[in-house]
Amino acid sequence: MLRMMLRPRWVLALLAALAVAAGFALLGQWQLERAVEQATVVERPTEEVRPFAGVAEPDGPTLQTSTGQRVEVQGAYVPGDTVLIDGRLNDGVLGTWVVAHLEVTDAPPGGLPIALGWASDVETAQSALDRFEASVDAAEPVRVIGRFLPSEPPTDPDHDGDPHAMSTVSVAALINLWADFDDRPVYFGYVTAAEPAPGLEAISSPPPEAEAELNWLNIFYAVEWVVFAGFAIFLWYRLVRDAVQREREEAELAAAQATAAPESAPQS
């Protein structure tokens, strides 16, 4: 085997196999780098309070880059549009949110739900809602600092319960409850206020978790290229071994023919 491997043509074949294997290895490295690059977490300054203008646009989707961003928004609360959102967890405790309707004034005009705070029971939440409604002045500008989150999907109310009861902050459902809100701009997101309204507790709204997942398809391709690189070397080895086996068989056949030739010669 060693003598066969050292023959010039097999040395050249080995160099060619190594070149092919190196190319496959580079492709595998590139795929691995792609997987790591796509898994890199891009940190967003969500805890830096930004003006609401530019974070979202009315009647448009909530961008991923805006989700969880702390914002400062100015506007005026609309009396009569405050509602209760049941079944909301706050640090693992089930309770009720009080959600008001803010008309934004420091960004493109539009309706924006504001989650004013949380209460552990409906009675406390209703009492806080009544107190808030009694203090609302549509002509008085307010400033709210909180975390901007995308609108949640609507849910069907219980057949035996209040048809207007809500358990999600769904903008699509809220605009059906807000008075005189036909064909007006609305933001498809809401803000959880950092400072709760009187009688309520602050809503636990942690920053979004930075998650990164490896692209397993790229990992699979990287492993595949490494296998191909190993196969190139293995193929060269098999060809050399087959050549050795072929020469050995040819030598044995020639020896057998040489031995048979004298035996078949005619006797004088």
Side-chain angles (χ1 to χ4, degrees), residues 18-65:
L18 289 174
V20 171
F24 288 158
L26 289 175
L27 288 172
Q29 181 182 3
W30 176 75
Q31 290 286 357
L32 189 61
E33 290 175 353
R34 288 275 297 172
V36 173
E37 178 184 343
Q38 293 180 7
T40 301
V41 178
V42 179
E43 297 292 341
R44 293 190 292 115
T46 57
E47 302 313 288
E48 175 186 345
V49 178
R50 293 175 51 189
F52 188 65
V55 173
E57 294 293 333
D59 297 330
T62 299
L63 302 178
Q64 181 66 32
T65 54

Side-chain angles (χ1 to χ4, degrees), residues 98 116-117 124-125 127-132 135 195-201:
V98 178
L116 300 173
T124 302
S127 175
L129 185 153
D130 295 338
R131 187 187 311 179
F132 173 80
S135 66
E195 293 294 330
L200 299 173
E201 298 181 27

Side-chain angles (χ1 to χ4, degrees), residues 31 36 55 58 74 89 100 152 154 158 163 194 196 231 234 245 254 262:
Q31 290 286 357
V36 173
V55 173
Q74 296 183 13
L89 290 174
E152 299 172 350
D158 294 335
F231 182 74
F234 176 74
Q245 184 66 27

